Amino acid sequence: VSNRIVQGKVVVVTGAGRGIGREIALLFAKEGARVVVNDIGASLAGEGADRTPAKDVVRLIRDGGGEAVASHDSVADFGAAQRIVQTAVDTYGQIDCVVNNAGILRDVIFHKMSFDDWDSVLKVILYGAFNMSRAAATHFRRQNRGCFVHMISNSGLAGNVGQANYGAAKAGMVMLSKHIALDMQRFNVRSNCIAPSAWTRMTGSIPATTPDQAARVAQRAMVTPDKNAPLAVFLASDAAGEVNGQVFYTRMNEIFLMSQSRPLRGLHRQEGWTPQTIAEHALPALRPCFYPLDRNQDVFSWDPV
Ligand SMILES: NC(=O)c1ccc[n+]([C@@H]2O[C@H](COP(=O)([O-])OP(=O)(O)OC[C@H]3O[C@@H](n4cnc5c(N)ncnc54)[C@H](O)[C@@H]3O)[C@@H](O)[C@H]2O)c1
């Protein structure tokens, strides 16, 4: 018990009723944290509400001798997010970490994407991360301590077909995290991102029509959601005190540190640029550094072993 890495800490995990969030909540509890298990119990597309998933995870934690409380509010609502954070403070007297994990998916090719497809995904993922982070920030500032772990996606780093809403929301979370890290470092608050991978209902929704796709899906099914939890728990621990503003990717037994944007190549012209000199001079000079129009699966072009 004494070497449990987050002993006594209080953590809120959103979307913790299922999939990756559930495994993160369970490991936090096992490692000594008191956990607010938040989950609205929505469908993959973000419809409906069901209290069962969050309650089941709380029961599992308590059965194992841990401490947990359920919360069924939606992260997408600013006032509700305040209540989620308040649940931690009211129940356990403090809040040490927020894991922004709740997410929904509405994949559709861009020219067919409705405003509602865009809006609902942004509301849960990007506004949800803001709402939760902003609610916790008040307490973190007062306590002079706190930590954020944001569950993002490779779709917000590399990209994917049919996920403009989801990719934009996740990319937004990456910069939200960096800016929180910059703004709140002075209060000993850290903010980091994990792009997870796992076979959950979310990945199970990806259609597999060709034999090649079916093989990828079979491979993917071996990647269990619990594999993402150790890094999330570590990041919330005091052992991660030096880790701030970073972006990680987890895939089964692999952990990657992802790059962040830096200038690749610069050009200067004494007399300034015209559209014509950009075409004649800048384009050929920059072209070798252009990125291909690649997707997640091109960037991570090999399967985990
Ligand atoms: N599964 C993967 O391979 C994968 C890859 C990249 C990123 N992610 C991200 O990891 C996170 C977890 O994904 P998962 O695969 O476990 O999905 P999941 O659908 O199994 O779990 C997500 C949970 O979030 C809950 N939720 C949805 N809207 C909510 C709201 N407004 N408020 C509170 N809870 C809400 C759902 O009820 C659900 O239980 C998501 O942010 C997802 O985008 C997953």
Side-chain angles (χ1 to χ4, degrees), residues 199 203 206-223 251-252 297 301-304:
W199 184 256
T203 33
I206 297 168
T209 42
T210 68
D212 188 48
Q213 284 170 338
R216 282 197 76 87
V217 163
Q219 180 70 34
R220 199 92 190 254
M222 293 164 56
V223 184
R251 189 176 71 157
M252 214 143 109
Q297 65 213 69
S301 53
W302 72 104
D303 286 327

Side-chain angles (χ1 to χ4, degrees), residues 15 18 20 39-40 42 74-75 101 152 166 170 196 198 200-201 203:
R18 299 186 184 97
I20 295 166
D39 203 302
I40 194 175
S74 171
V75 300
N101 169 81
I152 56 146
Y166 183 78
K170 293 294 191 182
T200 64
R201 65 175 189 174
T203 33

Side-chain angles (χ1 to χ4, degrees), residues 3-305:
N3 63 358
R4 296 201 292 188
I5 201 165
V6 286
Q7 184 67 42
K9 289 193 186 290
V10 176
V11 57
V12 176
V13 183
T14 69
R18 299 186 184 97
I20 295 166
R22 176 180 183 275
E23 299 299 331
I24 292 173
L26 293 176
L27 188 60
F28 262 110
K30 200 175 159 205
E31 289 289 344
R34 295 166 284 173
V35 187
V36 176
V37 176
N38 164 260
D39 203 302
I40 194 175
S43 72
L44 182 60
E47 281 139 359
D50 176 6
R51 292 180 167 238
T52 321
K55 278 186 177 165
D56 286 349
V57 173
V58 167
R59 189 174 313 118
L60 215 54
I61 290 174
R62 288 181 181 162
D63 287 351
E67 287 184 63
V69 61
S71 147
H72 308 285
D73 274 311
S74 171
V75 300
D77 181 275
F78 188 67
Q82 306 269 341
R83 285 198 298 275
I84 300 170
V85 167
Q86 200 57 45
T87 301
V89 178
D90 289 348
T91 313
Y92 302 119
Q94 67 195 56
I95 178 166
D96 297 293
C97 181
V98 170
V99 181
N100 281 316
N101 169 81
I104 63 168
L105 206 60
R106 293 202 183 178
D107 289 4
V108 52
I109 200 88
F110 186 65
H111 63 279
K112 293 183 178 166
M113 188 171 285
S114 69
F115 177 78
D116 192 52
D117 294 329
W118 167 261
D119 193 50
S120 53
V121 168
L122 266 283
K123 284 273 161 56
V124 175
I125 292 180
L126 185 56
Y127 281 71
F130 169 80
N131 293 341
M132 290 299 300
S133 302
R134 182 62 192 84
T138 303
H139 299 281
F140 287 177
R141 195 232 172 289
R142 181 176 46 76
Q143 296 171 170
N144 206 40
R145 134 186 132 254
C147 168
F148 294 106
V149 177
H150 309 277
M151 304 309 290
I152 56 146
S153 168
N154 251 339
S155 297
L157 299 171
N160 216 346
V161 173
Q163 294 196 314
N165 49 359
Y166 183 78
K170 293 294 191 182
M173 278 177 85
V174 175
M175 273 300 114
L176 175 66
S177 173
K178 177 76 187 284
H179 284 261
I180 291 171
L182 288 167
D183 286 358
M184 298 202 74
Q185 185 179 31
R186 70 195 70 182
F187 307 122
N188 300 309
V189 174
R190 298 180 296 105
S191 182
N192 295 286
C193 294
I194 302 173
S197 30
W199 184 256
T200 64
R201 65 175 189 174
M202 206 172 255
T203 33
S205 72
I206 297 168
T209 42
T210 68
D212 188 48
Q213 284 170 338
R216 282 197 76 87
V217 163
Q219 180 70 34
R220 199 92 190 254
M222 293 164 56
V223 184
T224 51
D226 58 298
K227 294 289 185 178
N228 306 284
L231 182 60
V233 173
F234 161 76
L235 286 172
S237 77
D238 295 339
E242 70 192 82
V243 188
N244 197 10
Q246 304 302 313
V247 181
F248 300 92
Y249 173 55
T250 48
R251 189 176 71 157
M252 214 143 109
N253 295 326
E254 300 166 300
I255 292 177
F256 300 88
L257 177 66
M258 298 302 287
S259 65
Q260 298 187 29
S261 192
R262 296 289 181 273
L264 262 185
R265 172 106 208 238
L267 281 175
H268 173 263
R269 219 176 138 99
Q270 190 59 38
E271 64 276 30
W273 297 95
T274 65
Q276 288 76 15
T277 57
I278 289 171
E280 288 156 16
H281 177 189
L283 178 63
L286 298 177
R287 187 185 288 122
C289 295
F290 282 176
Y291 291 97
L293 205 54
D294 49 15
R295 305 154 295 171
N296 294 340
Q297 65 213 69
D298 304 311
V299 175
F300 285 94
S301 53
W302 72 104
D303 286 327
V305 283

